Each structure stands twice: as structure tokens, then as C-alpha cells.
Amino acid sequence: MYGSDFAADPHGHYARMRAAGPIIPVELAPGVNAWLVTGYSLALDVLRDTERFTKDPRSWAALSEGRIPEDSPVLGIMMYRPNALFSDGAAHARYRGAINDSLSRIDPHALSEYVERSAETAIDSFAERGEADLLGEYAAIIPLLVFNQLFGSTPEQGSELVRVTAIMFDATSDETTQANVDMLRYLADLVEAKRHRPGADVTSWMIAHPSELSDEELMQQIALLLAAGTEAQMNLIANALRLLLSDDRFAGELSGGSLPVQDALDEVLWTDPPLANFGARFARYDVEIGGAWLRMGDPVLISYAAANNDPELAGADRIGNRAHLAWSAGEHRCPADGTARAIASVAIEKLLDRIPDLELAVPAERLTWRPGPFHRALTSLPVRFPVLAKPTPGPAPGPASGPVPASAPVPPLSSAPPAGTSTARPSGSESGDRRRPWSPLGEWWRGR
Ligand code: HEM
């Protein structure tokens, strides 16, 4: 599942996998074997089954027996950390409670306003060029700005986050090691600053939560929020924009309000969910599911993308139907689905509102996808449009613009989907541009 063949045609692969049954053995990366659930009903069963499956990767037999290469790119995503994603039972409830309660304090109006201002700022940076890579220059930037705002980063911390994240996304392993150290420093500084000077932000709310998380626990939950939200958020925005710009069903409607945008989001969450194969669980004991015998400690991933497109669901009307598994299901279902959807909606609507004559700069079939077993991620999304007049100056969000308002919006920046599975392939643009998707971030942040 890590090759470019899989990235080029995942649905063809899912169809062939499904023919072998609702769960099949796969190779996530060289030497890393797992089970993949492709059937919708079985996916729901496994996601809800806390008796036979644990989320704790310390139960992963091949890892504890030293059978996973130490430098395997999947470890960044599948290795244990003391956070909600990798915990069960009481520990999970405690972490999840702090996350849920803090996220629920985000004011949706402030969030929406902040996404709009972030979108304006990003659009202004390329409006006069008449062309842009909407992945690196738009979809990647909005989640980052929103995360910094939501978590109360200072301008300096925001810049550091941009720098470190760019490295973690696409770098040599030497750089990644240092970037991990720098990321921990960023998180420690953020928590320390908010302990001394709390603000109206998610970090401060988590510190004040009755669960009384330690500094280490706080850092781990914030890192999870960063990891869980940012890259997936970027890919939701980019995948929905790709659909809107390439599918005739949406042609002519792009400036027509929010309905097509909501429809496009629904469709992408069904067909190309940003986290395509995720939700790793581990068998607590030898168990038979879907006709397959799993050994104790075997990892099972859920193919949200395959399950959503299971022929078992054929005939279901997808527009307005949110029974897809893009946010997972059960106790570990994404706690930020509403927030993530709101960010994507506002970001896309603002872009189409400012640039209604947007069009792809390359045929849709020439757009390429980043290899990797977990995500559904474009390498770039080149567009062109009539050059826009210089915009009226307004308050710019984020670090470059001075203190951030206290009452603002949402999440994350992706931590490191393993560099080995996330390496950007050459861009699909005519010019063969090989910039890493995140590279414009740092430049943009520094005002270039
Ligand atoms: C388009 C964007 C997003 C998608 C597609 C997405 C999807 C998911 C999925 C599928 C899971 C479940 C994983 C599992 O079963 O193991 C999950 C968990 C999680 N997500 Fe999201 N997510 C997105 C955005 C966000 C954002 C913006 C945040 C934070 C602000 C966030 C925070 C989390 C957290 C904390 C968990 C772990 C919950 C737990 O284990 O109890 N996600 N997400």
C-alpha cells in the first residue's frame, strides 16, 4: 500500500482486495504487515469492538518482538504515545474529556471569522499572479493559521511551528530527528507560556481542565491535535477543491453559494476521505473476524475509503448522507469533525467567492497523489485565474500581524506522517515545479 501504483488508483486496488473478502492481509511499508478491513459492516463492528481490540500499540506483537524495521516510516503514525488515540478505557476517557471539553469552548462565529481572514490573507498572497498551487499556497496554510490562533501561539512560536512542520513533512531523516526535538521544544514552550499567562485558547482550556493533565500529558494531547488535524484538514480542502474544479456536475455553480460546497465535501468524505486507511487497532487475543484468523497482537487498519465505497451500500444517496466513515466511528471517532468541516467550508467558499473564475491549470487526470498507506493527498493543485486587483488592506491574521485576538478559531498542523510515506512527488504542474507542498508556508509567514 506504499507504492505509487496504489496512490495512482486506490479504488482499483480496493475493488480487487474486496473480492478476497471484507478483511485481507496487506503490507503497509516494507516489512510491515497488517490486516485491512474493506467491508463497511465489518469496519463498524471492529471500530466499536473494545473487547477484542485495543488501540494501544504496545500490544503490537511484531513491534515488541523487533520485527518492524526501526526506521520504518509507519512508526511515526503507529507508535505508542500517551494520548487519546492510543489509549483505552479510563485513560482514554480522561484524555478525550479534556480534548472534547476544550474544543467545545471554541466560538463557531469567531472560528468562521478567523478562517475567513486567514483565507483572505492567503488569497492576497497570490491574487496578483493569476496562478497558484492551491495545495501549498492555500489548503496547507489555512489549518496552520487556525491552529496557531486556536492554541494561542505567539508570533515567534507560530513561525517556529511552520519551520518545523515543513521539515517534518518532507525532509531527510537527519533533519527529521532535529525537527522532532524542535517540535517538543515548541510544545513545551507553549504549555509553559500558557501556564503562566492563560488566555482564551484551547491550550489554556486544557490546562485548566479538571482532569489535571501533567505538562507531559498536555504536550502529548496538543501534539495529537496537531497531528490529527492539520494534514487531514489540508487534504479535505484540497480534495474538495479538486472535485469542484474538475467535475462537470459542479460547473457553473462555483459562485452560486454554499450548496455545491457542502455537496462536494460530502462526496469527498465518501469517496476520497483524507484519512483513507487509518484507525489502527490490535487484536487482544487470537480471533476470527470476517473469515480471517488474526493472531494476538496483529494490527488491523480500517479502510474508510474502501468501506465507504462498499457495494453493500450501493444505491444509498450520498448527498446530505453522512453515514460515511471518514471521521471513523465508536469511542475514537474524530472529536473535531464539525470544526474540521466548518474550516473547510469557509475556506472553500471564501476562495470561490473571491475567485469565481478559478480553473485547473492541468487536466484533472494529470494531478498526482502522494504515495503512502494512510492518506489521500494530492502532490499539488495548480490553478489559474484572471489576475485580481490588489486587495484592500485589512487586518492580517497570525504571527506576522501582531497580537492575535483572544477569541478565535481552530486546529492543527500535521505532525509527521512519516517522511518516507509522505515524500512529495514531482508536481503535476506544466512547469514541473518540485517545491515541497509546505515550502511556501515559511516564506509566506516571513512575508515573502
Ligand atoms: C478533515 C479533517 C479531519 C479528518 C478527516 C479526521 C479524521 C479522524 C479520524 C478518522 C479519526 C479516528 C481515528 C481512529 O479511529 O483511530 C480521528 C481522530 C481524532 N481526530 Fe480527527 N480528523 C480531522 C480533523 C481533526 C481536527 C481539526 C482535529 C483537532 C482539532 C482532530 C482531532 C482528532 C483527535 C484528537 C482524534 C483522536 C480521538 C480519540 O482517539 O479519541 N481531527 N480523526
Side-chain angles (χ1 to χ4, degrees):
M1 290 175 68
Y2 51 88
S4 46
D5 284 359
F6 179 77
D9 179 25
H11 287 292
H13 283 78
Y14 298 141
R16 286 190 287 281
M17 290 173 175
R18 214 178 275 117
I23 174 168
I24 65 150
V26 291
E27 192 181 30
L28 298 176
V32 183
N33 299 317
W35 295 93
L36 187 73
V37 176
T38 58
Y40 184 88
S41 306
L42 187 61
L44 271 181
D45 288 347
V46 173
L47 289 168
R48 290 170 176 160
D49 188 339
T50 55
E51 198 267 311
R52 292 183 297 175
F53 298 99
T54 168
K55 287 284 291 174
D56 189 334
R58 288 173 299 184
S59 307
W60 184 2
L63 185 61
S64 54
E65 290 162 13
R67 288 186 278 121
I68 303 297
E70 278 177 17
D71 59 351
S72 177
V74 302
L75 290 179
I77 285 203
M78 291 180 66
M79 204 176 58
Y80 174 75
R81 292 179 201 87
N83 66 26
L85 190 62
F86 297 130
S87 305
D88 302 309
H92 176 248
R94 178 163 169 268
Y95 295 144
R96 175 112 181 172
I99 290 172
N100 272 347
D101 293 347
S102 303
L103 291 179
S104 71
R105 294 180 66 173
I106 296 169
D107 173 354
H109 300 293
L111 171 63
S112 172
E113 191 181 306
Y114 190 73
V115 179
E116 277 202 33
R117 284 195 286 128
S118 303
E120 293 282 8
T121 306
I123 295 166
D124 290 350
S125 73
F126 55 71
E128 290 178 277
R129 286 213 321 266
E131 59 172 24
D133 169 14
L134 289 182
L135 184 80
E137 296 182 90
Y138 195 72
I141 284 173
I142 311 269
L144 184 66
L145 289 174
V146 168
F147 179 88
N148 277 317
Q149 181 70 8
L150 266 193
F151 285 76
S153 296
T154 62
E156 294 72 29
Q157 287 166 338
S159 299
E160 175 64 356
L161 188 57
V162 174
R163 187 188 70 75
V164 172
T165 305
I167 294 172
M168 291 177 98
F169 260 82
D170 182 52
T172 68
S173 52
D174 287 356
E175 282 180 307
T176 307
T177 305
Q178 184 56 45
N180 272 307
V181 174
D182 294 345
M183 177 62 84
L184 285 178
R185 168 57 39 207
Y186 159 81
L187 293 167
D189 287 350
L190 181 62
V191 168
E192 193 193 348
K194 293 296 163 185
R195 279 227 189 262
H196 288 105
R197 287 194 57 195
D201 51 64
V202 175
T203 310
S204 303
W205 296 329
M206 287 183 71
I207 290 172
H209 193 267
S211 56
E212 297 186 345
L213 301 183
S214 68
D215 282 2
E216 169 65 14
E217 289 174 318
L218 284 163
M219 285 167 59
Q220 292 290 348
Q221 307 324 303
I222 296 169
L224 169 63
L225 291 163
L226 203 60
T230 308
E231 204 215 0
Q233 184 77 63
M234 168 179 84
N235 292 327
L236 179 59
I237 295 171
N239 295 356
L241 279 169
R242 170 188 160 274
L243 178 67
L244 282 160
L245 296 175
S246 63
D247 193 311
D248 286 346
R249 287 171 301 151
F250 297 99
E253 285 192 85
L254 295 190
S255 57
S258 65
L259 189 62
V261 173
Q262 297 310 321
D263 291 352
L265 286 171
D266 280 340
E267 184 154 328
V268 160
L269 289 166
W270 276 101
T271 55
D272 278 324
L275 290 174
N277 308 291
F278 203 60
R281 275 137 175 90
F282 305 88
R284 290 185 193 269
Y285 42 82
D286 292 359
V287 61
E288 191 259 316
I289 56 164
W293 269 102
L294 280 55
R295 303 297 303 271
M296 184 169 82
D298 277 0
V300 186
L301 266 74
I302 309 299
S303 179
Y304 305 125
N308 283 350
N309 295 284
D310 187 335
E312 182 186 305
L313 304 177
D317 186 0
R318 295 179 165 196
I319 298 297
N321 176 346
R322 308 221 167 134
H324 57 71
L325 298 180
W327 311 112
S328 189
E331 291 185 3
H332 290 266
R333 186 181 196 278
C334 181
D337 57 336
T339 305
R341 190 177 172 113
I343 294 170
S345 305
V346 175
I348 295 170
E349 283 164 20
K350 178 50 77 179
L351 181 72
L352 299 179
D353 186 46
R354 275 284 299 277
I355 317 182
D357 295 326
L358 207 53
E359 61 179 21
L360 287 179
V362 297
E365 52 286 1
R366 287 193 49 200
L367 293 172
T368 52
W369 302 87
R370 283 161 52 204
F374 306 115
H375 57 208
R376 185 64 172 149
L378 286 164
T379 57
S380 68
L381 188 57
V383 293
R384 60 180 164 232
F385 51 86
V387 168
L388 298 189
K390 188 135 187 99
T392 17
S401 60
V404 290
S407 60
V410 187
L413 170 64
S414 169
S415 84
T421 60
S422 311
T423 306
R425 298 165 63 200
S427 150
S429 76
E430 301 283 15
S431 61
D433 180 355
R434 295 177 68 95
R435 282 176 307 177
R436 62 172 85 161
W438 287 81
S439 65
L441 270 177
E443 293 166 22
W444 179 86
W445 204 272
R446 291 186 289 273
R448 280 183 224 145

